[in-house]
Every structure is written in structure tokens, then in C-alpha cells.
Amino acid sequence: MLFDVGRLLHEEFLPVYRAAADTDGWEDMAVSVAHRAGSRLASAKISIAHMVMALRSTDRLLTEAMLDDGGDARALAAAGTALAAELMSAFCAGDDGLADAVLAGSAPDGAAAFYTVVSVRGALPIRVVSAFRDRGPVLLATSGHLLLPAAEAAALSLCLDVQKEFGGEVWFSVAERPVARMALARREADEIDALVASLGRPPGVYRIDDVLLESAVMETPEARDELGKVLAPLLANPVLVETVLALLEADGNRAVAAKKLFIHRSTIDYRSWQIEQLTGLSPVNPRDLAVLGTAIGMGGER
Amino acid sequence: MTTVVDSRLLNDVLRDILSPFDLPPVEDVATRRQLARALLSGRDNGFEGLALAYAVVAFSASTEDGVAEVLAAVRDNADVLVLDGTRGGYLLLPCAQDQHAGLARELHDRVGGEVWMAVAWAPRRDLASARATAADVLRIANGRAPGVYELRHVLADFAVLRQPHVSERLARMIEPVVAQQPLLDALRAFISEDGNRAAAARRLDIHRSTLDHRLRLVERLTGHRPASPRALLTLSVALTAHSCPEVPLPH
């Protein structure tokens, strides 16, 4: 559907700016007007960039017009902000409540056969949504979860693109399920997110595969207890914890880890020996090193 | 019949024929075996003469001679209870907390040959769960070099075997690698040599660059980079999930 976005916004928003210029009580009107416009633009599949441009010029035109008529600048600015926020949220939520209905486990009309749930950490979901919208369809639930009507593999590369675009401190945790089992997918995404956060993993896109071992350990009481016993003697000794983490980051390379910690290579070897004495696990063995790292990461979870 | 002997009857018999603070004499192998079986099954009738806590050692050997060697090493110790089978068994060694690993290693040092030992410690009431842990640890350890293993050495494998939905997922992930023998060999060698490329290449008698190439293929097929310790652990656990034969231990 082709229509003039600027004109639509201008027509819809005019009464709100007018009200804000000379009376109080424009707030409710702003919410309903912006919500209606946002949903309409979303279902018309307008790109977010296009909408933002139209929104800017509409705001400028209307504000100037009202100021010329002697309107209150402060009230006009407030109205403009409220309209923009509400418009964005309705626009991004897409088809009124579809995301919430899908996440709640019902499969309403218009739902896809399966979705990938994305749990977002480190950025406002609403900002992330616009980045996804530039690349394809996306739903935003009130819980802050994103729903991509795509298989995990496709969703994964999409997430990687968006993650790169944001750069810096953004974590995505993804899980895919058929639409009838979305509650499970949401739980899985949240579980991955919690593990990634407590393990101190770097920003990125995570699937269950990336935290499978940790999640299996968490679910197995004997293994969880044993991990606690491995960790206990290390916790009394922060220098050893730091050494394990540095070695992990260096892929087990002792020379690289020593450089990173500004210590001599022989110091690393001595600390490794201490760690083995205390835990029975050798940082020189990559599998043991990974278990030591898991124990430290899980320590934050307790 | 056995179950009766296992529980009340055995207890009574023992009370009658033994002085209250002694275990059956070492010559009475059958009665001592029943006692070990009862304890390992969680049936502790408060026999006199038992220790408060035990190291449970599940062991297996590549040959029957290996089993005989383990049994010979504990034969003269009247405090050790044995439940043996043809290819392995369980030992119950009286043991204070945190001493079990050292105790098992000492024992392992005394036997030659290919012997795997998995050791867990528990107060007498919890011996059944210690037995289950030791049996699973032994099962995983059998895929590694002979030696003494504690739960912490096979922690991730252990947890994954107990969580079937995780182990199925990992088994699927590693399937394309298992399907190509050269890749499987390269990954196994790399894991066995603790991530040492040169040693792994030597073990397979291939050039180091060939090994690197195969490991890159493993990464492409699985999404896990073998050089990263975490990823190597995941790959190693996936191999366990894909195939981890049961160890024949007595019931």
C-alpha cells in the first residue's frame, strides 16, 4: 500500500498539537492518536527510516505553526515527545498484541508456523526492534522479547548483523520452537540469557548450544555440588581465579596469558601448579581448564 | 532368596556367628560380597564393625588378569569389602573425607596393566548414590587413558549423560564428524593429547598441517573451534554423548 506517510501523520497529529498549544488535557488524545497511526503504518510495512523522517518533518511543521499562533513551547515539546514515543511503540509492537498472544502459547490467526525468540540484554528492545525491522518482519512482546518468524539458523545470522550494527555491549539469546511451543522457547532464551550473564561471556549472539554444558550441570545436583567443591578453594584466592580466566581467554596459551597479566611465564606455571594442588584439575589440560572456568562462572550464580 | 539374605536374614546371621565388632573373616568371600552388595544398594542395617564412611571405587580392567590384580592388592586388608565381576567391580574402602582420591591413586599405583578406577566418597547412608556416581564416572573414564578418575575430571560428560535432551542435541551436533573417520581420529587425538597439535599429529603419523586442516573441517561442521578450551570440552562431551558404552559391573 502506497500512501503519504507525512500527510497521514500531519492530519492525525494536528488536533493534538492544537490542543497542546492552548489547553491542557491533550495527553489521552496523544496516546490514542499515535497508537492508531503507529499500528496503521506498521501494517502498511512502512520502513522505520521512512517513518522517522516523516515524523521529524511533521513535528517541525506543526510546532512552528503552533508557535506562530502563540502556543506554549514547553507544552508543544512535551506533546511532540509523547506522540513520537507512542507512535514508535505501536509501530514496533506491530499487529496489536500478536507477540504477547504467541508467547502466551496460543497460536492466533496470522501467526507464523514457528518463531525464534530473542532475549535482549544491554540495549532497549525498542531500539533493537527498529534495527531488525529494517531487515525483515519482527514482533515485540511487552515482556521485551523479540519474535522473528524465522528458523534459528536464519535468525542467528540476522542477530549477528544487528549485534554488529549495535557494536559494544549487546547480548542476544535465541531459541526456536514451533508456534505451539513458544512458552518453552521463551524459557530457553531466558535461561541462556541468565547463564551467559552469570558466566560473564562477552557480548554476542548465544544459542543453547553455547551454554549446553552449563545448563546440563545446573540441572544435575551431583555435578552442581562437585563444581562447588572445585570452586571453594579457588574463591579464597582471587589471583588464581584471575589466572584461570586469563588462560581461558588465551585459549590455554600460557605465554599469552602471562603477558596479559603482566607476570612472568614461570609465575603462571607456579599458579597452575597451585590450582592443580587445590582442585585436582590442571589448567594445562584444556578440558580441565574449561571446567575450572565453568566453576568460576557458576560461582556468580549462587 | 538372595533378597532375604541381603537384608534381615544376613544381618541376623552375622550377629549370631560373629563377634559384634568384626566383619566376616576375609576367607568368607561370599558373605563379605553380600555385605558389600547390601551396602552399595543402600541397605545399611547398621552392621557392627563397619566404617562410618567409605571410598567407593568402581574399577574395570581390559583383561581378567587386571581384575585379579586389583583384587589381590586388597585381599589382605580385612576392612575392604569387595563386590567383583569378571571385567570389573566395586571396592569399599573405609575412608575419611577428602582422602578418597589419594587412597585410590595409591591402590592404582600398586596394580600394573590397564586399569580404570572411578572413586567417590560418601557416609555409609549415601553409598547407593556414591555407587551410581562412581559407575557413571567409570563409564566415561573408559573412553580415556587408564587411571584414577573423580567426578570433577568428567564433570561435563557426567552431567550431559544425566540430561538426555542435552546429550541428544550434542550427539546430533557431532554426527557429521563421526561419519568421517579421518576427522574423528584427528579430533580424538587432539583431545587425548590435551590440545597439543604437534603431539596429536605425531600420534596419527600425519603432517601437522594435515591435522590443522582436519580440525578446521571439524569446526566448520560443528561450529565449535577445537583450539578453544570450552569448545574442545563441548566437542569431547559430544563424542561421549554420541557413544559411551556401558561398563559390565556386577549388580
Side-chain angles (χ1 to χ4, degrees), chain A residues 152 177 188 199 201 207-210 212-224 226-227 229-230 245 247-248 250-252 278-281 284-291 293-294, chain B residues 97-98 121 129 132-133 144 150-153 155-160 162-163 165-166 169-170 173 190-196 222-234 236-237:
Chain A
E152 195 173 278
R177 290 286 188 289
E188 185 175 295
L199 293 168
R201 295 284 178 87
R207 306 169 286 166
I208 187 71
D209 281 5
D210 300 312
L212 258 189
L213 303 185
E214 288 83 357
S215 110
V217 168
M218 284 309 285
E219 287 168 24
T220 311
E222 296 93 332
R224 223 171 38 210
E226 181 80 354
L227 212 53
K229 286 183 206 152
V230 169
L245 296 178
L247 277 166
L248 263 180
D251 280 349
L278 288 170
T279 65
L281 296 176
V284 176
N285 174 320
R287 285 185 291 184
D288 282 2
L289 180 60
V291 171
T294 307
Chain B
Q97 195 165 8
D98 297 332
W121 177 89
S129 85
T133 299
R144 304 195 186 177
E150 290 178 80
L151 174 52
R152 58 189 57 192
H153 299 120
L155 188 91
D157 308 64
F158 178 90
V160 165
R162 295 263 170 121
Q163 304 299 334
H165 65 284
V166 176
R169 199 173 167 114
L170 282 173
M173 180 271 279
F190 190 64
I191 291 170
S192 303
E193 296 292 350
D194 292 342
N196 183 327
T222 63
H224 294 279
R225 184 173 56 92
S228 145
R230 284 188 211 280
L232 190 66
L233 180 64
T234 305
S236 160
V237 171

Side-chain angles (χ1 to χ4, degrees), chain B residues 36 40 53-61 66-67 70-71 73-74 77 79-85 87-95 99-111 115-122 126-139 141-142 147-151 247-250:
Chain B
L40 288 169
Y54 282 93
V56 177
V57 176
F59 68 95
S60 67
V67 176
V70 174
L71 297 179
V74 296
N77 189 336
D79 293 326
V80 177
L81 292 168
V82 178
L83 177 60
D84 55 330
R87 275 296 157 86
Y90 297 97
L91 309 174
L92 285 162
L93 301 96
C95 179
Q99 306 291 310
H100 55 291
L103 202 59
R105 264 194 294 274
E106 218 168 82
L107 182 60
H108 192 268
D109 287 346
R110 294 218 302 276
V111 302
V115 174
W116 290 260
M117 288 182 178
V119 59
W121 177 89
D126 299 331
L127 287 176
S129 85
R131 174 216 196 135
T133 299
D136 278 354
V137 171
L138 184 68
R139 181 177 163 201
N142 260 258
V148 175
Y149 291 84
E150 290 178 80
L151 174 52
V247 180
L249 285 171

